[in-house]
Short mmCIF file of all heavy atoms in Angstrom, two decimals:
data_model
loop_
_atom_site.label_atom_id
_atom_site.label_comp_id
_atom_site.label_asym_id
_atom_site.label_seq_id
_atom_site.Cartn_x
_atom_site.Cartn_y
_atom_site.Cartn_z
N LEU A 21 -7.71 11.83 -7.92
CA LEU A 21 -6.93 10.65 -8.28
C LEU A 21 -5.52 11.09 -8.64
O LEU A 21 -5.34 12.03 -9.39
CB LEU A 21 -7.55 9.95 -9.49
CG LEU A 21 -6.70 8.82 -10.09
CD1 LEU A 21 -6.63 7.66 -9.13
CD2 LEU A 21 -7.26 8.39 -11.41
N GLN A 34 12.90 17.73 -2.36
CA GLN A 34 13.77 18.74 -1.80
C GLN A 34 13.78 18.74 -0.28
O GLN A 34 14.64 19.34 0.34
CB GLN A 34 13.34 20.13 -2.31
CG GLN A 34 13.47 20.28 -3.82
CD GLN A 34 14.90 20.15 -4.28
OE1 GLN A 34 15.80 20.77 -3.73
NE2 GLN A 34 15.14 19.33 -5.28
N LEU A 42 8.59 24.41 5.87
CA LEU A 42 9.37 25.61 5.60
C LEU A 42 10.81 25.50 6.11
O LEU A 42 11.55 26.48 6.11
CB LEU A 42 8.68 26.83 6.23
CG LEU A 42 7.24 27.06 5.75
CD1 LEU A 42 6.62 28.22 6.52
CD2 LEU A 42 7.20 27.34 4.27
N ASP A 148 -15.47 18.77 -21.65
CA ASP A 148 -16.63 19.51 -21.16
C ASP A 148 -16.19 20.43 -20.02
O ASP A 148 -15.36 20.05 -19.18
CB ASP A 148 -17.71 18.56 -20.64
CG ASP A 148 -18.55 17.94 -21.75
OD1 ASP A 148 -18.42 18.39 -22.90
OD2 ASP A 148 -19.32 17.01 -21.46
N VAL A 256 -1.19 4.83 -11.33
CA VAL A 256 0.15 4.63 -10.76
C VAL A 256 1.16 4.32 -11.87
O VAL A 256 1.00 3.33 -12.58
CB VAL A 256 0.12 3.48 -9.73
CG1 VAL A 256 1.47 3.31 -9.07
CG2 VAL A 256 -0.95 3.76 -8.68
#
Side-chain angles (χ1 to χ4, degrees):
L21 171 68
Q34 297 297 312
L42 302 175
D148 280 350
V256 183

